[in-house]
Amino acid sequence: MAAPLLSVEDLRVEFGVDRNVFPAVDGVSFAVDRGATLGIVGESGCGKSVTSLAIMRLVSVPPGRYAGGAIRFDGQDLLRLPESRMRALRGGRMGMIFQEPMTSLNPVYTCGDQIVESLKVHSDLSARAARDRAIELLDLVRLPSPAKRVDDYPHQLSGGQRQRVMIALALANDPDLLIADEPTTALDVTIQAQILELMKDLQDRTGTAILLITHDLGVVAETCDEVVVMYAGTVVEQAPTAALFGDPQHPYTVGLMAAVPRIDVAADRLATIEGSVPPPWQVLAGCRFASRCPLADDRCRNEPPPLRAIAPAHRVACWHAPIDGAAA
Amino acid sequence: MIETIVNRLLLSIPVLLGVLILGFVLVQVAPGDPARVLAGPMAPPEVVATIRERMGLDDPIVVQFMRYMGRLMQGDLGRSLISNKTVISELGAAIGPTVELMFACLIWSIPAGIAMGTLAAVWRGSLVDRVIMAFSVAGVSLPIFFICLVLIQYLGVKWQLLPFIGRGGPLWTVDGLRHIALPALSLGLIFIGPVARMTRSSVLEVLRLDHVRTARAKGLSERAVILRHGLRNALIPVITLIGLQAGYLLGGAVVTETIFSYPGIGRLAVGAILSADFPLTQGAILVLALAFILINMIVDILYALLDPRVQKK
């Protein structure tokens, strides 16, 4: 088997100063193969965004700190790369799309200028050629009348159109890896579907690997080959999409799936997971999910469960796994 | 863009009218009798009374104002009571030096203020930041006359580096530059402070925004991120502040010109007020108001140039 394009190994990112240091990401590992799509799911504050920023090495230091582990991209450890080589990767072989299309583009430059800027950093295209390429990219992301839109300012576009521009920007230099941090969260549902479809289609054409960060299980089911479920800064379950949805093993994953409203089942109340995520500065001896877990016992509260394989490619961090008859 | 300029010009007409009324009334209520000034302190009361009548000073104030406006429409601002030259020629001679002083002050203080604010923001919390901010607080808090006097004492009197009396000639001559250096330095020092502070907080605010993260994710160098995506956006509120401060600057120019015996509008206005030379006072007020309106218009245009969202409305 070929080495994965991206592999994150035991990554630990801390925040804070002096004595108030806490880990936002604590021992996270996963890998993304060339051309594949990996989803990272979890609720707000579970560390998924920090993980994605860490891969681009865009966590602001301080207050952040890369406290351990490695991020290997095509063999080189990004955490040890000099800043100039890291810059060449950012926007070059690694592109990133953010959650907020409304604010992620600079309001004082035209969409075209912002794409051209990225092209010029990473290649020596002439102004003319860069502009043509920008129009081509806007066409690729199916922005209507790209030759006119290229001179529009972001405020003249809708949210969905701006996210298309962001995708064009991220894809400008044919990246090997596209990191999408909640790319559809701020958009309304019909636009969400269009954007996801666009990303899948572009992946088929360009062979880009995608790391998709989301809290939306529906999005994961539609787009990802493999899923990593994160909880309070750690990976609690990792499996191919079909296995995860067919046979979720971690009580947290089970709870997440039960919380998705279903159109075919009448319910007065939506299922929820009792309690809330422990704050990252709270020191816990055992499993971080124990306080909310229906299966928790003394061992769970005192000993952190390691991530272990219960089937090929299916790994769970739970003392009770494999659980049988878990309902999805 | 042209529409914006025309709109602004039309809007400035009522402002100007207000200034004219206010200026006229202020001069009326101020102590000092113009007829007495014209006649001289030794003149007998009959002579003063005759002059009063000839100048129409006994007419109701509304009639006087209408007469003043009527003359103004024909471009006649009257004659100075002291020098007997036309007010237009007096103002004309003083306007050039004041414009030079403003230019000499702004040309160094705006870039310096913006650069200092940006450096302070980039190295936030460092020694550089603290020194720049201390300097800027001093600039804001110290009265302009004090700054002028300190500069005169050291650069002018003790070390004799620069002249500090009068104007040496046009700005493009060496003597002109030497003479304008101290007034422009003093005036600029009070201007730098607010500009640096505003730039600092504005840059800090912009650097936290999402689009700056996008710029970093594109692989831009930190310098390009700060200059092209930080400072460029941060300048918008700074320009507004510069427009507001310009009024303060005109006031500062009055003090600065007086202290340095610099023959500009400010000194002319002070002289005219102190000698109860009311046609000249009104003329100076008119010119200062026009300058203020003009500066604000330039700011509005710059604003539209810097922020595309303003233009399209």
Side-chain angles (χ1 to χ4, degrees):
Chain A
M1 208 173 98
L5 175 68
L6 174 80
S7 78
V8 173
E9 294 157 17
D10 202 22
L11 178 69
R12 186 178 161 95
V13 182
E14 293 175 344
F15 281 90
V17 281
D18 300 336
R19 254 166 283 167
N20 299 314
V21 173
F22 57 84
V25 174
D26 192 2
V28 166
S29 302
F30 57 82
V32 186
D33 289 323
R34 279 166 212 281
T37 304
L38 177 79
I40 300 185
V41 225
E43 60 198 289
S44 311
C46 72
K48 55 191 196 299
S49 283
V50 174
T51 305
S52 66
L53 285 174
I55 295 169
M56 294 286 273
R57 227 169 76 189
L58 284 176
V59 173
S60 39
V61 180
R65 193 167 83 85
Y66 301 100
I71 299 171
R72 282 183 217 291
F73 180 78
D74 209 9
Q76 46 196 345
D77 186 353
L78 301 185
L79 295 183
R80 277 167 192 78
L81 221 52
E83 180 59 26
S84 61
R85 299 219 4 234
M86 193 62 221
R87 272 208 301 272
L89 286 178
R90 275 186 214 128
R93 295 187 62 196
M94 302 197 306
M96 187 155 181
I97 310 170
F98 299 98
Q99 180 172 355
E100 292 294 338
M102 305 310 274
T103 54
S104 290
L105 291 165
N106 190 332
V108 308
Y109 296 106
T110 63
C111 299
D113 283 346
Q114 299 188 51
I115 297 174
V116 165
E117 189 180 28
S118 178
L119 289 167
K120 285 194 152 175
V121 173
H122 297 283
S123 64
D124 40 14
L125 287 178
S126 68
R128 182 76 238 166
R131 189 185 150 85
D132 289 345
R133 170 81 176 133
I135 295 172
E136 196 184 306
L137 283 161
L138 292 178
D139 190 40
L140 188 73
V141 296
R142 291 185 222 133
L143 197 71
S145 46
K148 249 170 57 196
R149 288 302 196 186
V150 73
D151 293 321
D152 274 0
Y153 288 96
H155 70 273
Q156 293 165 288
L157 304 178
S158 70
Q161 288 172 329
R162 288 188 214 186
Q163 198 60 303
R164 285 172 194 271
V165 174
M166 280 300 292
I167 296 176
L169 190 59
L171 292 177
N173 297 295
D174 296 317
D176 296 326
L177 175 68
L178 180 65
I179 302 172
D181 184 2
E182 306 252 12
T184 58
T185 306
L187 304 173
D188 61 55
V189 181
T190 47
I191 308 294
Q192 279 186 16
Q194 288 176 17
I195 294 287
L196 288 175
E197 197 188 327
L198 173 70
M199 285 174 57
K200 261 165 76 178
D201 185 48
L202 292 174
Q203 184 179 34
D204 290 343
R205 282 210 244 170
T206 58
T208 307
I210 297 180
L211 179 62
L212 182 69
I213 319 285
T214 181
H215 64 262
D216 188 336
L217 286 170
V219 169
V220 170
E222 262 174 67
T223 48
C224 299
D225 303 315
E226 203 186 352
V227 190
V228 168
V229 182
M230 281 185 71
Y231 183 80
T234 58
V235 174
V236 293
E237 185 164 4
Q238 181 175 9
T241 309
L244 188 89
F245 280 85
D247 184 23
Q249 285 295 327
H250 196 281
Y252 176 64
T253 318
V254 175
L256 270 187
M257 289 187 185
V260 176
R262 290 176 59 167
I263 203 163
D264 55 337
V265 179
D268 290 337
R269 289 175 62 93
L270 291 175
T272 54
I273 305 176
E274 290 293 319
S276 55
V277 187
W281 51 86
Q282 188 177 329
V283 181
L284 292 171
C287 173
R288 295 194 147 258
F289 189 59
S291 61
R292 306 170 73 185
C293 182
L295 303 178
D297 54 26
D298 279 349
R299 187 186 192 191
C300 298
R301 278 183 279 271
N302 294 317
E303 256 181 275
L307 195 64
R308 62 202 166 87
I310 55 153
H314 195 157
R315 300 191 294 157
V316 189
C318 177
W319 294 120
H320 296 277
I323 38 178
D324 19 64
Chain B
M1 182 54 81
I2 290 165
E3 203 183 333
T4 318
I5 298 173
V6 171
N7 270 338
R8 289 287 312 174
L9 277 175
L10 289 177
L11 272 174
S12 60
I13 292 175
V15 175
L16 205 57
L17 195 66
V19 168
L20 284 173
I21 294 174
L22 208 63
F24 188 83
V25 171
L26 276 177
V27 170
Q28 294 299 317
V29 300
D33 180 356
R36 167 60 72 186
V37 173
L38 204 57
M42 304 307 245
E46 309 89 74
V47 176
V48 176
T50 318
I51 294 175
R52 284 190 73 83
E53 204 182 340
R54 211 177 334 135
M55 289 174 75
L57 292 176
D58 292 324
D59 294 335
I61 191 165
V62 178
V63 175
Q64 288 190 48
F65 181 69
M66 293 318 271
R67 202 156 48 212
Y68 168 62
M69 284 298 286
R71 284 207 313 271
L72 200 62
M73 289 300 168
Q74 297 160 32
D76 178 10
L77 293 177
R79 279 176 180 276
S80 160
L81 299 183
I82 306 292
S83 70
N84 204 30
K85 287 186 201 150
T86 61
V87 168
I88 300 258
S89 71
E90 290 266 24
L91 291 173
I95 248 177
T98 294
V99 170
E100 277 184 1
L101 179 60
M102 291 287 148
F103 178 77
C105 160
L106 296 178
I107 195 80
W108 78 273
S109 62
I110 290 179
I114 289 173
M116 282 165 61
T118 310
L119 290 179
V122 171
W123 288 318
R124 180 192 190 178
S126 70
L127 187 65
V128 175
D129 180 18
R130 268 177 251 171
V131 169
I132 288 176
M133 280 305 107
F135 184 82
S136 129
V137 169
V140 176
S141 337
L142 289 174
I144 172 85
F145 71 84
F146 181 76
I147 297 178
C148 291
L149 293 180
V150 169
L151 287 179
I152 288 177
Q153 170 67 16
Y154 285 92
L155 294 175
V157 178
K158 261 199 178 153
W159 303 327
Q160 307 205 340
L161 293 174
L162 290 164
F164 53 91
I165 295 173
R167 174 169 177 262
L171 202 52
W172 51 88
T173 60
V174 175
D175 210 33
L177 278 176
R178 278 173 53 78
H179 274 85
I180 213 165
L182 276 184
L185 187 64
S186 322
L187 206 49
L189 282 176
I190 60 160
F191 202 68
I192 272 188
V195 172
R197 287 190 83 78
M198 186 59 149
T199 307
R200 178 183 183 268
S201 64
S202 182
V203 167
L204 279 177
E205 198 178 304
V206 171
L207 286 181
R208 271 197 294 270
L209 296 181
D210 288 347
H211 69 75
V212 171
R213 191 181 53 191
T214 307
R216 292 210 171 93
K218 286 200 280 198
L220 296 183
S221 67
E222 196 56 24
R223 173 200 288 257
V225 169
I226 288 165
L227 292 181
R228 260 187 276 168
H229 294 269
L231 187 57
R232 172 68 167 71
N233 295 52
L235 279 184
I236 296 166
V238 175
I239 291 289
T240 312
L241 175 91
I242 290 175
L244 292 172
Q245 284 294 117
Y248 193 51
L249 195 67
L250 289 171
V254 172
V255 177
T256 312
E257 287 178 1
T258 308
I259 292 180
F260 287 99
S261 307
Y262 187 87
I265 291 280
R267 203 184 59 142
L268 192 72
V270 172
I273 293 166
L274 290 180
S275 56
D277 188 347
F278 79 98
L280 193 55
T281 307
Q282 281 163 346
I285 291 174
L286 185 65
V287 169
L288 289 174
L290 274 176
F292 196 67
I293 290 170
L294 187 72
I295 290 170
N296 275 290
M297 199 162 81
I298 293 171
V299 165
D300 274 8
I301 293 167
L302 281 177
Y303 207 87
L305 285 178
L306 278 174
D307 191 344
R309 287 167 297 185
V310 176
Q311 260 175 57
K312 295 294 190 289
K313 269 173 205 160

